[in-house]
Amino acid sequence: MSRRSVEWLVLFTLALAAGCSTHAQRVRVAREQFYAGNLAQAAELFQEQIERHPADADANALDLAVIQLLDGRPADAEQTLRVVRDNFDHLEQSDAVEYGISMVTDDQRLAYAGANHVKILTRVMLALANLMDDGGDAEAYSLQVNAKQQELLQRATGEQAGDVQLAFAPLAIGPYIHGMIREATFNNYDDATRAYHQVVSWQPGFQAGKADFERARTGTHSRPGHGVVYLFALVNRGPVKEEVAELPTTVALLVADRILSALGEYELPPTIAPIKVPRVFVPPRSLDSVGLVVNGKFVGQTETICDVADLAARQEEVELPNIMARAVVRRVVKKAAVYAVKDHLEVQEPLVDLAMTAAGVVWEATEAADTRCWGLLPREIQVLRAELPAGSHDVALLPVTAGRPLSSGPQLRVDVHDGRNTYLLACFPNTQPIGQVLQRSH
Amino acid sequence: MTGSHAAGSEVFNPLVEEAVASLLARQNVVVQEASFSGAEVLPTPKSICFMGVENKSIEELGDFKDQIYQQIDTMLVQSQSFQPVSRRVVESALQETRMRPDALLIPENMRVFAAVLERQGQPLNYLLYATLTSGTTVNNKSQQRDYMLTLELVNVNTGAYDKQAAEIRKGYHKTRAGKLWHYNPFVRES
């Protein structure tokens, strides 16, 4: 083998090595800016990432949408989320060429199609964003939450169907929003009753669900001269993906063996060194809930209607064996490619052999885990319903920790309209809120 | 499109058409007979308040519910026998009175509700309720579901009511053998 060939091989390896940082590393500063409350800077950084890394554009757009929403621009957030939702739906069809490229590079080369729970949560956040705007499409989005779940469930076949069913245990927030909207029409209590029945069945721990169900079944939306305030709170920092090196599990090796058998010319080696995989990491909880104080009186505190962290963890359980299997296959393919080149070029010189082996090691080492995810989602989406007399009220939102509300929190004036819903949306990644408290009546 | 595990437009459309057409045909005869007195006089459309579709079936209607509502409402408008009160006006009156639609059948509630509508320039003659029900028969991996749409027309002044129902049967089979075994040209299959 000529010296020039070796130089080309090394250059090729270095070219692959370029840009092997993970998504998590690239957006770390932008996320830090968000949690520091610098929404404008965070938005700018995510926008920069969208332009610089087109393959990560949708993952970054999801985070950008959260910033737009909390910056008081729900219409922009809805528009951003709608584009991502449509892209995800489009990317549900797999691309063989792209998959082939990912086999010699890493999963980051695959277009980001969003994890299944992200597809569902996109619709949840669309519903919330729309509620904070004109509210005209919120009901449609709420119906799409369950429709998408059903679609994903029906698509799951084979051995993993059971796991997938567990991972996609229906989300109560979809019917909750649907029931909330239908109840406010004063004419569709049957829909509201059905929706709240689903909430109670799917999330028995949601205590307010029982009262909602009873009210929809036998009562009315609100007493005369009263309106209803719904406080939606995005509580605690949500799950993110981090790169870790792990030994492949037995299940992953089994899946990898099947893929290799399908490829035909490769075999699974007896041992595999640790591989880089993305794992879900959930930051520690900072607060339990958010308390609502109206005109100086504590009215109640929010309850979890959607546990995002739990959803992400269940999703990971289903996806991880496949991700590991792909990493194992990639390693086998890369090793086989290096040996094939050596054989083909009949490498005799020890130095060249060493150089090629080193290039192979670098090639493997350049691989990075696909940590693309919706990192600015909260750990929990919580809600509180409060019936209040129509009129203007002084409202304070207080973070609740260890069962006790803290003394300070955002304060605002809330207008409650007779027989109508007023929606509030606040984000508490920790005891300090981020962005604006949004308010809208429909 | 045919729903593979739930009803779709192929079930709801004929249900609505049949039930509403039958009810209107009968009401038209009643109205015309009542108005006949030798000279040809066109009957005045009766003011009707369509209270919406109540779903008591096993399936969620999702976005179909509003479509069924609009279909029925459109047929009422086109009939020229009835003049429906706008849905927004109905909901606004329900909001004002804080009454549930099913509570309007109590005479006192009906009077209060009619008074609110009258104040808004919408005198009321009839209330119309639509209810969707279902009954399911299961046989191994196949099931048969009967869907029934019932329309109840209540005369606000006399309390008299008329009722019309339409029914459709649909079979759901998980296997082709089941589909073949239960084949019936008069039942919708999926």
Side-chain angles (χ1 to χ4, degrees):
Chain A
M1 189 181 186
S2 68
R3 188 184 173 82
R4 183 155 291 254
S5 302
V6 174
E7 281 171 7
W8 274 113
L9 184 66
V10 171
L11 276 175
F12 174 68
T13 308
L14 288 175
L16 281 174
C20 64
S21 62
T22 64
H23 172 76
Q25 290 162 342
R26 289 193 291 273
V27 298
R28 184 158 292 144
V29 178
R31 285 180 183 161
E32 277 167 8
Q33 288 295 332
F34 171 80
Y35 289 118
N38 303 324
L39 296 192
Q41 269 171 297
E44 209 172 288
L45 288 168
F46 275 113
Q47 195 63 54
E48 215 172 86
Q49 289 290 325
I50 289 172
E51 284 154 25
R52 205 183 286 174
H53 300 279
D56 301 359
D58 285 338
N60 286 317
L62 288 171
D63 283 339
L64 181 63
V66 174
I67 298 169
Q68 289 170 328
L69 180 62
L70 298 175
D71 200 24
R73 293 180 286 139
D76 290 346
E78 189 185 341
Q79 173 62 22
T80 306
L81 288 170
R82 222 171 20 220
V83 171
V84 176
R85 178 201 61 185
D86 294 345
N87 287 346
F88 284 169
D89 285 350
H90 174 71
L91 288 168
E92 282 180 352
Q93 40 199 329
S94 59
D95 183 335
V97 175
E98 198 181 62
Y99 185 77
I101 294 171
S102 77
M103 277 296 121
V104 291
T105 51
D106 57 33
D107 274 0
Q108 293 192 105
R109 298 297 181 274
L110 292 170
Y112 179 63
N116 286 336
H117 77 285
V118 169
K119 290 176 194 168
I120 296 162
L121 289 170
T122 305
R123 286 151 174 87
V124 170
M125 292 303 283
L126 269 167
L128 291 180
N130 189 262
L131 276 179
M132 294 303 143
D133 193 32
D134 66 359
D137 287 329
E139 192 181 340
Y141 293 133
S142 72
L143 288 172
Q144 286 176 25
V145 173
N146 282 358
K148 191 69 194 173
Q149 274 193 304
Q150 284 297 321
E151 185 193 321
L152 293 171
L153 268 174
Q154 281 172 19
R155 210 180 292 157
T157 51
E159 290 168 16
Q160 278 203 319
D163 294 338
V164 172
Q165 275 169 8
L166 195 70
F168 300 136
L171 279 192
I173 191 167
Y176 184 82
I177 294 175
H178 187 228
M180 177 183 84
I181 295 169
R182 296 304 276 183
E183 192 185 351
T185 64
F186 288 85
N187 192 21
N188 294 285
Y189 289 106
D190 60 323
D191 286 345
T193 306
R194 189 178 282 259
Y196 292 141
H197 184 261
Q198 287 175 332
V199 171
V200 174
S201 314
W202 294 349
Q203 196 161 326
F206 182 67
Q207 294 300 316
K210 294 176 189 80
D212 292 331
F213 175 67
E214 273 311 306
R215 186 185 59 252
R217 203 170 65 85
T218 57
T220 54
H221 168 268
S222 52
R223 287 168 286 166
H226 286 66
V228 173
V229 170
Y230 282 94
L231 167 61
F232 284 94
L234 311 179
V235 178
N236 289 309
R237 285 177 73 153
V240 286
K241 283 183 179 173
E242 298 283 358
E243 182 182 272
V244 293
E246 280 199 6
L247 279 170
T249 60
T250 318
V251 181
L253 288 173
L254 194 71
V255 178
D257 191 38
R258 282 184 192 162
I259 299 172
L260 289 170
S261 302
L263 291 175
E265 45 191 310
Y266 307 108
E267 274 181 19
L268 199 64
T271 55
I272 297 275
I275 46 175
K276 289 175 188 169
V277 287
R279 293 302 307 260
V280 170
F281 167 72
V282 186
R285 196 187 290 270
S286 300
L287 65 154
D288 303 332
S289 60
V290 177
L292 179 72
V293 177
V294 180
N295 301 325
K297 192 178 159 200
F298 189 82
V299 172
Q301 61 195 67
T302 53
E303 261 188 277
T304 300
I305 184 74
C306 179
D307 191 334
V308 177
D310 179 55
L311 204 60
R314 281 189 280 147
Q315 175 71 37
E316 184 192 43
E317 229 171 277
V318 176
E319 279 182 351
L320 194 61
N322 289 325
I323 294 170
M324 279 186 166
R326 279 203 302 276
V328 170
V329 170
R330 210 159 23 233
R331 176 157 300 172
V332 173
V333 168
K334 286 177 180 178
K335 279 202 189 302
V338 172
Y339 284 118
V341 171
K342 280 185 189 174
D343 285 351
H344 182 71
L345 299 175
E346 293 173 353
V347 176
Q348 301 293 332
E349 293 174 49
L351 197 64
V352 177
D353 185 74
L354 188 66
M356 291 188 75
T357 305
V361 170
V362 173
W363 189 14
E364 282 173 27
T366 57
E367 195 174 317
D370 182 7
T371 54
R372 289 174 293 182
C373 63
W374 195 350
L376 296 188
L377 272 181
R379 182 179 178 136
E380 293 125 7
I381 300 175
Q382 300 188 347
V383 69
L384 168 70
R385 182 190 198 272
E387 191 177 319
L388 299 174
S392 199
H393 301 273
D394 286 321
V395 165
L397 308 181
L398 305 180
V400 177
T401 56
R404 294 172 64 183
L406 297 181
S407 55
S408 68
Q411 301 193 344
L412 62 155
R413 195 108 185 123
V414 173
D415 293 321
V416 178
H417 304 273
D418 184 19
R420 283 165 66 185
N421 286 347
T422 298
Y423 303 101
L424 302 179
L425 179 79
C427 178
F428 284 82
N430 47 53
T431 50
Q432 291 300 313
I434 300 266
Q436 299 181 14
V437 177
L438 281 82
Q439 180 184 162
R440 192 75 195 222
S441 291
H442 298 303
Chain B
M1 187 182 158
T2 308
S4 62
H5 57 285
S9 54
E10 69 142 19
V11 166
F12 297 131
N13 289 352
L15 272 182
V16 169
E17 278 163 23
E18 190 189 330
V20 180
S22 305
L23 185 75
L24 287 175
R26 200 164 52 238
Q27 284 300 316
N28 205 23
V29 170
V30 173
V31 170
Q32 288 208 353
E33 277 175 358
S35 67
F36 184 76
S37 58
E40 194 177 329
V41 180
L42 285 174
T44 319
K46 299 285 178 188
S47 167
I48 189 168
C49 187
F50 178 27
M51 302 307 299
V53 185
E54 192 178 3
N55 179 21
K56 288 188 171 176
S57 75
I58 195 170
E59 295 168 16
E60 283 172 64
L61 284 182
D63 52 355
F64 259 114
K65 189 171 179 183
D66 282 340
Q67 199 177 25
I68 295 172
Y69 180 97
Q70 295 300 344
Q71 278 178 317
I72 296 175
D73 201 41
T74 305
M75 287 181 80
L76 289 174
V77 172
Q78 287 171 348
S79 75
Q80 296 183 340
S81 305
F82 292 104
Q83 178 57 52
V85 177
S86 156
R87 184 180 192 172
R88 290 175 201 282
V89 174
V90 174
E91 288 180 353
S92 153
L94 285 170
Q95 179 182 334
E96 189 179 328
T97 57
R98 291 297 202 276
M99 283 176 190
R100 292 172 64 91
D102 48 8
L104 296 183
L105 293 174
I106 298 167
E108 175 58 27
N109 291 348
M110 202 187 284
R111 273 194 291 277
V112 172
F113 185 72
V116 170
L117 284 182
E118 195 142 358
R119 212 171 55 229
Q120 294 180 12
Q122 303 274 351
L124 184 63
N125 300 124
Y126 289 95
L127 287 174
L128 179 68
Y129 292 87
T131 311
L132 185 75
T133 50
S134 67
T136 311
T137 312
V138 181
N139 178 14
N140 294 328
K141 287 193 168 181
S142 296
Q143 63 179 25
Q144 175 185 290
R145 189 162 291 157
D146 296 327
Y147 298 92
M148 185 190 271
L149 180 68
T150 310
L151 298 176
E152 279 180 84
L153 187 71
V154 184
N155 187 318
V156 175
N157 303 313
T158 64
Y161 86 102
D162 191 5
K163 200 168 185 176
Q164 182 66 51
E167 197 174 357
I168 275 187
R169 176 168 293 175
K170 190 175 176 189
Y172 299 97
H173 310 292
K174 289 184 179 170
T175 61
R176 287 187 181 185
K179 199 169 187 171
L180 198 65
W181 183 256
H182 293 93
Y183 176 72
N184 179 341
F186 302 106
V187 175
R188 284 166 170 78
E189 305 284 354
S190 71

